Amino acid sequence: MKKRRAIAVVAADVFNDYMNRIFIGISEQCKSLDYDAYAFVMAFNMDGSSLIQDGEENIFSLIKKGVIDGVVLLGGNFASQTLIDKMSDKFSALDVPVIALDYDFDFCESIYAEDASLIEQMTDHLIEHHGCKNILCLTGPKGNTPAMSRLNGFLASMKKHELEVPEDAVIFGDFSKPAAQRLAKEISGGRRPIPDAVVCANDVMAMNLCNVLINNDIKIPEQVMITGYDGARDAIDNIPSISTIYPENSHLGARAVCCLHKMITGEDADISDISSGQLILAQSCSCSAGLSYLVSRRENYSRNIERFERFYNKSGMLEDLMKSEKLDDLLQKIVEYGYLLNGVDTYMLCLCKNWDDVENTSEDEYLRCGYTPKMEVRMVMNEGDARFENYEFESEGIIPSLMEEYSDEPSMYFMLPVHFMDRCFGYSVFKFTDISFALSMVFVRWNRNINIALEFLRVRTKLTFVNNRISMASIRDTLTGMYNRKGFARFSENMFQRAVNEKKQFLVIVGDLDMLKTINDNYGHIEGDNAITIAANAMNTCCKSGEMCARMGGDEYAVFGVGDYTDEIVTEYTGHIRNFCDRYNASSGKEYNVGVSLGFYCAVPEENDTIDSFYNLADEKMYEDKFRRKKNRR
């Protein structure tokens, strides 16, 4: 790719509203400042260590100084503390500017959404519009930056309206189910008076609080009003729908890019005109002001996300891909399922050199960490058109320069690992026409199907390779490497039939090593084996036009072939064999000579002819030659 400043966006995933809006802000701000954005994401975001997690995390090994000018690190998005620690070690040593979002690292600056004013507005709404006075605040862990910021917004509104906030009116939770469920049980069990409203610091707690209270016969919103924060799709779909806050996440993403730009260039930058946060007022506070907004969002999601998820679920893509017996077939099938990817402008499959490693005899030795220095783009899909490539590029560059043909403007590219468990195959590059389409998990599942299909193809190819080796070993002579009698039987019949069908001559040359017993008795079996091998090499010298050579027994050989032979050609062939032996004897320094008695038969097969009849005629002539040579030696 041509040199343009590039920012790496490091996240576990992008498949929820909260994260997707951050990515939209990053993308828009990068475009305005002429940066490319490389988003490194995973299909799995698990808390723990496993081989599949190792394979997912390998995608982050592509991020290196020299290609990446800065990093946006979304640490709050990682489920695994182990991975957070790895990211801290990696990026603190990378020597490029790093900005963290929603998480405090000790080696870089961290920024958070400016959410206090939004929570204050939501609390104002409960007080001023609904007359609430006894209001609780369920926030996140004490000391956590977003938790404290959202609490401060609540407290600011209560102070502004001169409402008392008892100590037990602030509940520090965990941004997840348990804290909300505990509070719900306290209220429904009578251990805490029913409040007028509860302001929750995120939608997960708001939904769980709401649903548990309803299950315990507490009416929402008649007895308790509940609000959340995040603008999550699940909150909108909840029954009753949750009054929530659409946060300024896009603005947060844009701010992160501007901070990096300042660190990279020393220059300030204007933040792109991106929508800021807003209140979405719904049923959980008895409002319908946000109803049209909720409906339009739901319709948009159904049209652009759910519809393609249904297509994917009914596609049978994985099973179809696994039918492929060759990589080219698999690539063709992948293209057939491109219709499942809504909003993908360009897709590239980048595989490591020798990705299947078929000839590796050890199943424990394979590429686990990093990528091969040389990578290959094997396929490109762009706006519905497919192109099959074998385009080589340096993995250090991350994005192949081939992408210039499809994108000459600053863009965001999503990088997903292509692997099976911890076995690395390569990576995929996705470029969307609209980042909001990346909210769908379909493109990740689609990519995962490719991973599994590649592994299935690798194993199938490996088994075929091993079976072929076993098969070849069974028809090869272990000492000389030429075909054995079984190999002769397998291939000679087809060649003979070809001679019959095409009315061509079938040639058989039979050879017998002279004096093998004498060599074994006088010089040992090692020298006997040497003589057998030299004789085999001599016989192979006449296999120049597709003929095949076999060791038929201890000291017996046969050459067979199909062609337009003449007496001169056959005489030349036998001459090659004898000359080879003569040259060896002249230079070997051995106390014995290696010689071969020869006989041949060559003719166009007639109706009653068989391979055996040809072989027997050649064998008879060989014995005649053997008798003459023995007589001459005496």
Side-chain angles (χ1 to χ4, degrees):
M1 292 284 287
K2 61 186 178 183
K3 184 60 178 174
R4 177 186 283 125
R5 287 197 184 103
I7 288 176
V9 185
V10 180
D13 59 58
V14 67
F15 323 117
N16 61 70
D17 295 280
Y18 186 88
M19 292 298 299
N20 188 261
R21 293 195 293 269
I22 292 177
F23 274 84
I24 290 172
I26 292 171
S27 175
E28 292 302 313
Q29 190 66 50
C30 281
K31 288 179 182 177
S32 70
L33 295 175
D34 196 37
Y35 282 80
D36 281 328
Y38 299 164
F40 297 87
V41 297
M42 305 185 297
F44 301 95
N45 184 15
M46 300 181 293
D47 186 8
S49 179
S50 64
L51 292 181
I52 194 169
Q53 188 73 14
D54 292 343
E56 290 288 308
E57 294 174 12
N58 188 46
I59 193 68
F60 302 124
S61 68
L62 287 170
I63 304 172
K64 297 176 183 176
K65 183 180 179 182
V67 179
I68 298 301
D69 298 285
V71 177
V72 177
L73 181 56
L74 287 88
N77 181 232
F78 291 109
S80 167
Q81 182 60 46
T82 302
L83 181 55
I84 290 174
D85 294 340
K86 290 179 184 177
M87 295 294 100
S88 181
D89 292 341
K90 177 180 178 65
F91 293 114
S92 62
L94 191 60
D95 193 27
V96 299
V98 180
I99 289 289
L101 268 64
D102 288 344
Y103 198 89
D104 288 322
F105 290 94
D106 58 8
F107 69 91
C108 67
E109 181 182 345
S110 299
I111 62 174
Y112 293 84
E114 297 168 348
D115 48 22
S117 63
L118 292 169
I119 291 288
E120 183 178 350
Q121 291 176 42
M122 182 63 85
T123 310
D124 289 346
H125 172 76
L126 293 172
I127 296 169
E128 297 169 5
H129 188 77
H130 295 292
C132 297
K133 294 181 179 180
N134 177 20
I135 307 174
L136 305 181
C137 179
L138 175 59
T139 189
K142 191 171 186 177
N144 175 272
T145 301
M148 301 309 294
S149 174
R150 294 168 199 180
L151 172 60
N152 290 336
F154 165 77
L155 294 174
S157 176
M158 296 293 281
K159 181 178 180 180
K160 180 170 57 180
H161 293 89
E162 299 180 348
L163 293 174
E164 183 181 357
V165 182
E167 186 175 343
D168 65 352
V170 175
I171 301 101
F172 290 101
D174 50 14
F175 286 129
S176 61
K177 290 182 180 181
Q181 292 173 335
R182 285 194 299 271
L183 178 58
K185 289 177 181 178
E186 288 179 12
I187 295 172
S188 60
R191 296 192 300 276
R192 180 187 288 269
I194 299 176
D196 297 333
V198 181
V199 175
C200 298
N202 76 347
D203 286 339
V204 171
M205 293 192 295
M207 286 186 291
N208 280 278
L209 176 63
C210 176
N211 297 337
V212 174
L213 286 175
I214 289 174
N215 289 339
N216 286 277
D217 298 323
I218 304 292
K219 295 180 180 179
I220 310 296
E222 291 84 354
Q223 292 178 271
V224 183
M225 295 184 180
I226 296 174
T227 66
Y229 177 98
D230 282 341
R233 186 175 66 257
D234 290 344
I236 293 168
D237 291 342
N238 196 71
I239 299 176
S241 55
I242 303 296
S243 293
T244 184
I245 294 171
Y246 189 95
E248 56 111 32
N249 291 5
S250 298
H251 194 75
L252 175 63
R255 283 170 52 211
V257 175
C258 289
C259 289
L260 276 182
H261 180 70
K262 174 76 171 179
M263 297 165 71
I264 293 168
T265 67
E267 301 171 357
D268 292 317
D270 294 329
I271 294 180
S272 298
D273 185 15
I274 298 173
S275 60
S276 57
Q278 66 183 91
L279 306 189
I280 304 174
L281 304 176
Q283 295 169 329
S284 68
C285 74
S286 75
C287 283
S288 59
L291 183 60
S292 60
Y293 173 82
L294 299 180
V295 170
S296 65
R297 280 197 66 192
R298 191 71 188 83
E299 289 178 345
N300 183 66
Y301 183 80
S302 176
R303 181 174 60 254
N304 293 316
I305 307 298
E306 281 186 343
R307 184 160 65 104
F308 285 86
E309 288 179 348
R310 289 195 296 270
F311 291 161
Y312 171 82
N313 292 336
K314 295 178 180 179
S315 69
M317 176 185 177
L318 177 58
E319 291 79 4
D320 200 18
L321 294 187
M322 292 173 70
K323 296 176 185 176
S324 305
E325 297 184 2
K326 295 181 180 178
L327 180 60
D328 289 345
D329 297 336
L330 175 58
L331 298 179
Q332 289 280 0
K333 284 188 176 294
I334 291 171
V335 172
E336 293 175 14
Y337 290 94
Y339 75 93
L340 297 173
L341 300 176
N342 188 30
V344 172
D345 172 83
T346 306
Y347 168 74
M348 287 186 176
L349 177 61
C350 306
L351 294 180
C352 296
K353 295 279 282 187
N354 194 28
W355 67 272
D356 53 359
D357 203 15
V358 170
E359 296 186 10
N360 184 2
T361 57
S362 173
E363 277 297 297
D364 294 326
E365 297 176 5
Y366 52 83
L367 182 62
R368 293 175 171 87
C369 301
Y371 296 85
T372 55
K374 296 285 187 181
M375 303 284 293
E376 293 177 338
V377 177
R378 296 309 305 264
M379 67 169 294
V380 181
M381 290 194 305
N382 175 254
E383 297 181 347
D385 294 327
R387 176 174 164 186
F388 300 99
E389 294 281 351
N390 197 1
Y391 180 86
E392 191 173 280
F393 70 99
E394 302 282 344
S395 61
E396 283 193 355
I398 305 177
I399 302 292
S401 58
L402 182 65
M403 185 65 80
E404 293 177 21
E405 297 183 24
Y406 305 97
S407 176
D408 58 359
E409 298 179 350
S411 303
M412 174 172 276
Y413 303 98
F414 286 86
M415 323 295 298
L416 265 71
V418 175
H419 68 104
F420 186 80
M421 303 303 281
D422 63 341
R423 183 188 294 271
C424 174
F425 296 146
Y427 54 89
S428 288
V429 182
F430 293 86
K431 177 177 174 287
F432 286 86
T433 55
D434 185 336
I435 302 301
S436 64
F437 291 124
L439 177 63
S440 172
M441 279 286 291
V442 167
F443 84 99
V444 179
R445 293 170 182 156
W446 190 88
N447 186 74
R448 188 66 190 153
N449 287 345
I450 295 174
N451 296 353
I452 296 170
L454 283 171
E455 171 65 3
F456 198 78
L457 177 60
R458 183 195 71 82
V459 172
R460 170 181 278 163
T461 305
K462 182 80 170 184
L463 289 174
T464 301
F465 176 79
V466 171
N467 286 337
N468 286 341
R469 290 188 65 173
I470 294 171
S471 176
M472 291 302 292
S474 71
I475 61 174
R476 290 280 187 182
D477 176 53
T478 55
L479 178 60
T480 64
M482 61 171 46
Y483 291 108
N484 56 22
R485 181 178 287 274
K486 183 178 178 181
F488 172 84
R490 173 181 293 188
F491 296 109
S492 61
E493 185 62 46
N494 289 337
M495 294 182 74
F496 186 80
Q497 192 59 49
R498 179 183 154 209
V500 172
N501 295 339
E502 299 178 9
K503 305 298 183 183
K504 290 183 177 291
Q505 291 176 312
F506 187 73
L507 168 67
V508 178
I509 302 175
V510 175
D512 190 275
L513 175 61
D514 295 337
M515 301 178 66
L516 176 60
K517 185 177 185 305
T518 301
I519 296 171
N520 281 331
D521 291 346
N522 294 325
Y523 306 103
H525 284 275
I526 292 178
E527 291 300 329
D529 288 347
N530 176 66
I532 290 171
T533 303
I534 298 304
N537 293 339
M539 296 294 293
N540 270 319
T541 59
C542 62
C543 296
K544 296 183 177 180
S545 302
E547 294 85 4
M548 305 186 79
C549 189
R551 183 183 177 195
M552 304 298 288
D555 55 1
E556 299 175 9
Y557 309 87
V559 173
F560 49 101
V562 177
D564 298 318
Y565 298 110
T566 63
D567 291 343
E568 290 77 12
I569 292 174
V570 177
T571 301
E572 182 182 332
Y573 279 13
T574 56
H576 286 324
I577 298 171
R578 300 202 192 281
N579 289 338
F580 185 95
C581 293
D582 290 343
R583 290 194 302 274
Y584 173 79
N585 293 330
S587 61
S588 69
K590 302 288 185 182
E591 297 181 28
Y592 58 87
N593 287 332
V594 175
V596 181
S597 299
L598 298 171
F600 65 86
Y601 184 73
C602 182
V604 176
E606 296 182 358
E607 183 176 347
N608 296 323
D609 286 335
T610 63
I611 292 177
D612 288 343
S613 64
F614 271 63
Y615 188 89
N616 291 337
L617 289 169
D619 198 43
E620 289 176 9
K621 293 185 178 182
M622 182 276 293
Y623 275 106
E624 292 174 5
D625 185 50
K626 195 169 193 70
F627 178 77
R628 286 193 299 271
R629 290 169 63 82
K630 186 175 182 180
K631 184 177 180 181
N632 290 337
R633 283 196 296 273
R634 287 176 179 171

